[in-house]
């Protein structure tokens, strides 16, 4: 991104982008706004596929605005997509891994070339602010490249093992990682680029063929990924893009016996159901599940409170609290509570809420009416049991009346309230004080989730935090985000406990291997 400026966009660097990036975003937005509302087909076996029923993709910032018309894919479409992927598998899996790497790298470059188009689509259909939107697209290209780098660093995962200590024979052994077959990728609305593209890139590089199904709220971003793969020259049928409801199309894909593996990213409840349904096949198949979070931050009396305040507010309210990594619980040492909380409130009150494509806006709308109602329900519960430090209301009047806008909300709540353990996925964060850090750690770990966690304290407290916290991605003393903002190759992303099934993080050293099973090849020759 903006190579001539030397700027590398990550979620850590996105707060100070070069001016050129804004200019290009604005130009692309103006151009794209003139032809919204077009119809987009699915792609099955390399062909554009339309279905009888359609659905509208509307902007959550302005529900009058129809962004595009998408296909309500049927069970037949699901079957056709799996058939196409199955047919393409033998040739793709036998394509030398170096050629697969070259094609996926080319697709990554095409994402880079279209990055502002991706950014505009992500801002319009998800409601991401422009930097979050561009970040999601840039992360996707880097996830593609990271999977390619891993294939190369491991020479395609063909490794010679020990030779058997036999007399009169030469017995060689090789470990070879090989693809499974048809891989299903089901993605959530909140990172429709990285969480559709990341698993797809890894699955393809490994030699699987793919069926990708995005969330109903975010079909457009996934269509752009499909176009980049197609335009890079990935053969017909190797990837297939279908759109439609999870409960029908998604379920049909999960139940299809020819699907060899799945990566599902989404809520705990849907993920666990998929895990059980997928487990009812004829044999055990790999299911990579990336699920929800209830991410804590602990602030001790030795913390840099300004760094803590900035990091917490960024992670609590970035993307309207709709990140699996969002900082939804904050535990603060009682001696610094009265210093830190007013600063959290002050920074929260400065956040601009509005049209996510506007440069000054930090919080766009929540994604749909259901999330808007969730916010009203949760704030109702908080009003009854605790109290708001700031926020607590949906926003109305003017442009707010057309979309799903909510005030970023900080609240105090009794520690035995169920909302301390439930993922809310809206811009609400609860804060509480603690007396000693062991108590804070107990509370931090006392949830079913274990995705990300943050800590602010003295350097000699940091190892204690890392050693005791139960989470897959952990950050200490980080103003760029207390619990959010992982980047491939820097902070591979994945969860423990109810937050993830594989124990290996995306964009990391052990990820692409999840898309392959091992074959040991022993060859004996008499000598
Ligand atoms: N751990 C992670 O890396 C990670 C990342 C992003 C989001 N998430 C989680 O995702 C959730 C938010 O996303 P969401 O609201 O889109 O999640 P969701 O669970 O409602 O939906 C996720 C996907 O599953 C599909 N789906 C729904 N029912 C299905 C079924 N029966 N069969 C097959 N597919 C089905 C949906 O259409 C969508 O594509 C949050 O819980 C968040 O924490 C986790
Ligand atoms: N990878 C993102 C979160 C993705 C989940 O929603 C982060 O690190 O903040």
């Amino acid at each position: 991104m903006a190579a001539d400026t030397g700027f590398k966009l990550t979620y850590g660097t996105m707060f100070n982008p070069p001016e050129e990036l804004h200019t290009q975003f604005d130009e692309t937005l103006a151009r794209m706004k003139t032809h919204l509302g077009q119809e987009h087909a699915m792609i099955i076996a390399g062909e554009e596929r339309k279905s009888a029923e359609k659905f509208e993709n509307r902007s959550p910032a302005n529900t009058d605005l129809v962004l595009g018309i998408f296909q309500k894919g049927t069970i037949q479409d699901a079957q056709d997509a799996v058939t196409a992927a199955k047919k393409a598998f033998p040739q793709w899996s036998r394509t030398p891994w170096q050629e697969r790497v070259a094609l996926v790298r080319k697709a990554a470059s095409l994402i880079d070339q279209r990055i502002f188009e991706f950014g505009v689509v992500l801002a319009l259909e998800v409601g991401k602010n422009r930097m979050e939107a561009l970040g999601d697209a840039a992360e996707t290209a880097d996830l593609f490249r990271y999977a390619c780098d891993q294939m190369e660093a491991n020479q395609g995962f063909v490794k010679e093992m020990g030779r058997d200590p036999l007399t009169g024979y030469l017995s060689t052994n090789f470990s070879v990682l090989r693809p499974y077959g048809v891989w299903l990728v089901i993605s959530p609305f909140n990172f429709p680029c990285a969480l559709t593209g990341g698993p797809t890139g890894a699955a393809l590089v490994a030699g699987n063929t793919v069926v990708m199904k995005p969330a109903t709220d975010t079909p457009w971003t996934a269509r752009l990924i499909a176009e980049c793969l197609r335009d890079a020259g990935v053969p017909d049928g190797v990837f297939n893009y279908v759109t439609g409801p999870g409960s029908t199309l998604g379920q049909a894909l999960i139940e299809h016996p020819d699907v060899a593996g799945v990566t599902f990213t989404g809520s705990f409840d849907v993920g666990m159901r998929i895990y059980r349904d997928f487990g009812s096949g004829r044999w055990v198949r790999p299911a990579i599940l990336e699920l929800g979070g209830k991410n804590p931050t602990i602030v001790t009396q030795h913390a840099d409170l300004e760094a803590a305040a900035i990091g917490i507010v960024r992670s609590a309210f970035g993307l309207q609290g709709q990140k699996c990594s969002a900082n939804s619980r904050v535990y603060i040492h009682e001696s610094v509570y009265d210093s830190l909380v007013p600063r959290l409130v002050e920074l929260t009150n400065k956040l601009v809420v509005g049209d996510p494509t506007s440069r000054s806006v930090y919080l766009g709308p929540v994604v749909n009416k259901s999330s808007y109602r969730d916010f009203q329900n949760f704030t109702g519960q908080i009003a009854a049991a605790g109290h708001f430090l700031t926020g607590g209301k949906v926003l109305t009047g003017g442009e707010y009346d057309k979309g799903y806008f909510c005030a970023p909300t900080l609240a105090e709540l009794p520690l035995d309230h169920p909302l301390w353990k439930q993922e809310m996925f809206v811009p609400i964060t609860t804060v509480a004080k603690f007396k000693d850090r062991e108590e804070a750690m107990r509370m931090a770990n006392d949830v079913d989730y274990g995705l990300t966690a943050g800590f602010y304290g003295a350097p000699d407290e940091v190892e204690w935090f890392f050693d005791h916290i139960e989470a897959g991605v952990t950050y200490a003393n980080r103003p760029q985000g207390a619990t959010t903002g992982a980047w491939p190759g820097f902070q591979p992303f994945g969860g423990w406990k109810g937050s993830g099934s594989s124990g290996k993080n995306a964009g990391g050293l052990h990820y692409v291997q999840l898309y392959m099973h091992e074959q040991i090849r022993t060859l004996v020759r008499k000598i």
Side-chain angles (χ1 to χ4, degrees):
M1 150 135 343
D4 43 338
T5 63
F7 177 69
K8 164 80 182 160
L9 175 63
T10 71
Y11 293 123
T13 64
M14 70 179 175
F15 304 103
N16 290 307
E19 191 57 29
E20 176 202 325
L21 193 143
H22 286 296
T23 316
Q24 291 202 43
F25 184 92
D26 286 330
E27 284 169 9
T28 310
L29 175 66
R31 182 169 47 79
M32 290 183 71
K33 267 192 165 170
T34 59
H35 46 270
L36 295 175
Q38 292 176 358
E39 182 170 350
H40 302 272
M42 301 183 284
I43 300 178
I44 298 176
E47 289 182 355
E48 302 267 314
R49 166 78 64 96
K50 293 191 176 168
S51 49
E53 280 193 76
K54 324 275 174 197
F55 65 94
E56 288 177 342
N57 183 17
R58 285 178 183 262
S59 158
N62 176 355
T63 54
D64 290 346
L65 201 61
V66 177
L67 303 174
I69 309 292
F70 288 83
Q71 312 304 314
K72 196 167 174 186
T74 61
I75 290 173
Q76 185 61 50
D77 294 320
Q79 285 168 353
D80 291 349
V82 175
T83 303
K86 188 178 178 189
K87 192 165 165 230
F89 177 69
Q91 192 167 347
W92 180 247
S93 60
R94 289 190 170 79
T95 300
W97 62 264
Q98 294 90 338
E99 287 177 34
R100 297 197 301 260
V101 160
L103 288 171
V104 172
R105 280 228 173 89
K106 192 161 175 209
S109 302
L110 293 176
I111 294 175
D112 286 342
Q113 281 168 30
R114 296 177 69 179
I115 189 108
F116 292 100
E117 195 184 333
F118 271 89
V120 166
V121 169
L122 281 153
L124 289 173
E125 78 172 353
V126 188
K128 289 184 183 232
N129 74 35
R130 59 172 63 183
M131 294 313 302
E132 293 275 4
L134 291 168
D136 193 352
E139 184 187 4
T140 310
D142 276 5
L143 283 166
F144 275 22
R145 283 188 278 262
Y146 198 83
C148 294
D149 293 349
Q150 285 302 304
M151 283 302 275
E152 280 177 344
N154 292 282
Q155 286 299 298
F157 293 97
V158 178
K159 304 241 158 125
E160 184 161 12
M161 309 298 288
R163 293 186 175 184
D164 291 293
L166 301 175
T167 306
Y169 295 93
L170 174 62
S171 175
T172 57
N173 300 296
F174 279 84
S175 160
V176 182
L177 293 191
R178 301 185 63 189
Y180 281 94
V182 177
W183 202 276
L184 174 60
V185 173
I186 298 183
S187 55
F189 78 83
N190 67 335
F191 282 80
C193 208
L195 300 177
T196 312
T200 297
L204 290 177
V205 160
N208 301 281
T209 53
V210 169
V211 177
M212 51 196 210
K213 192 213 88 65
T216 318
D217 285 311
T218 53
W220 198 2
T221 307
R223 165 81 204 190
L224 296 186
I225 297 172
E227 289 173 12
C228 290
L229 290 167
R230 180 196 63 197
D231 297 347
V234 175
D236 293 349
V238 169
F239 73 91
N240 300 273
Y241 154 78
V242 291
T243 50
S247 54
T248 52
L249 178 74
Q251 189 67 29
L253 289 166
I254 286 293
E255 288 171 5
H256 201 297
D258 288 337
V259 171
V262 61
T263 303
F264 168 83
T265 311
S267 60
F268 178 83
D269 289 347
V270 175
M272 289 306 287
R273 182 178 163 186
I274 284 178
Y275 177 64
R276 292 186 186 107
D277 288 352
F278 202 63
S280 66
R282 282 170 59 211
W283 54 75
V284 177
R285 294 169 291 172
I288 303 173
L289 306 172
E290 311 286 0
L291 308 179
K294 187 71 187 172
N295 312 295
T297 289
I298 297 174
V299 184
T300 75
Q301 63 273 42
H302 309 295
D304 172 341
L305 295 186
E306 187 57 14
I310 294 169
I312 290 166
V313 168
R314 283 178 171 165
S315 290
F317 302 123
L319 184 51
Q320 299 75 264
Q322 300 170 117
K323 296 187 188 184
C324 57
S325 52
N327 185 194
S328 53
R329 301 180 286 150
V330 184
Y331 302 107
I332 305 168
H333 190 268
E334 58 181 5
S335 66
V336 292
Y337 190 85
D338 291 338
S339 307
L340 180 57
V341 168
R343 184 68 180 136
L344 291 175
V345 171
E346 189 184 355
L347 290 177
T348 303
N349 290 343
K350 283 189 183 157
L351 299 174
V352 181
V353 186
D355 174 355
T357 62
S358 299
R359 179 175 179 162
S360 59
V361 162
Y362 189 73
L363 271 87
V366 295
V367 74
N368 56 29
K369 191 179 271 181
S370 164
S371 294
Y372 194 61
R373 288 202 183 120
D374 284 347
F375 179 88
Q376 289 165 311
N377 168 17
F378 296 137
T379 48
Q381 291 185 48
I382 292 169
H387 90 274
F388 297 113
L389 296 160
T390 185
K393 292 193 233 28
V394 295
L395 298 172
T396 52
E399 67 166 342
Y400 292 142
D401 285 341
K402 297 213 174 222
Y404 305 120
F405 294 95
C406 306
T409 298
L410 289 167
E412 289 177 322
L413 201 57
L415 282 163
D416 59 357
H417 195 283
L419 286 184
W420 278 102
K421 299 198 178 188
Q422 184 180 342
E423 183 184 49
M424 290 187 266
F425 227 59
V426 288
I428 300 176
T429 288
T430 49
V431 300
K433 54 178 84 159
F434 66 84
K435 277 189 201 310
D436 76 272
R437 68 181 199 183
E438 304 297 338
E439 176 198 4
M441 185 59 76
R442 248 189 327 275
M443 293 190 286
N445 285 334
D446 188 21
V447 291
D448 288 345
Y449 295 110
L451 190 49
T452 71
F455 178 77
Y456 296 90
D460 63 1
E461 293 178 305
V462 162
E463 277 314 306
W464 165 84
F465 165 70
F466 288 137
D467 282 351
H468 291 83
I469 193 72
E470 295 168 0
V473 188
T474 62
Y475 302 95
N477 297 334
R478 183 170 181 261
Q480 291 78 13
T483 60
T484 53
W487 200 264
F490 299 105
Q491 296 92 10
F493 194 78
W496 291 10
K497 295 159 58 178
S499 294
S501 68
S502 73
K504 305 289 183 293
N505 294 2
L509 295 172
H510 316 288
Y511 186 69
V512 76
Q513 295 93 316
L514 298 176
Y515 293 82
M516 295 176 272
H517 42 191
E518 186 168 15
Q519 183 175 62
I520 296 299
R521 298 179 169 184
T522 294
L523 173 64
V524 179
R525 276 195 295 131
K526 241 181 164 170
I527 50 173

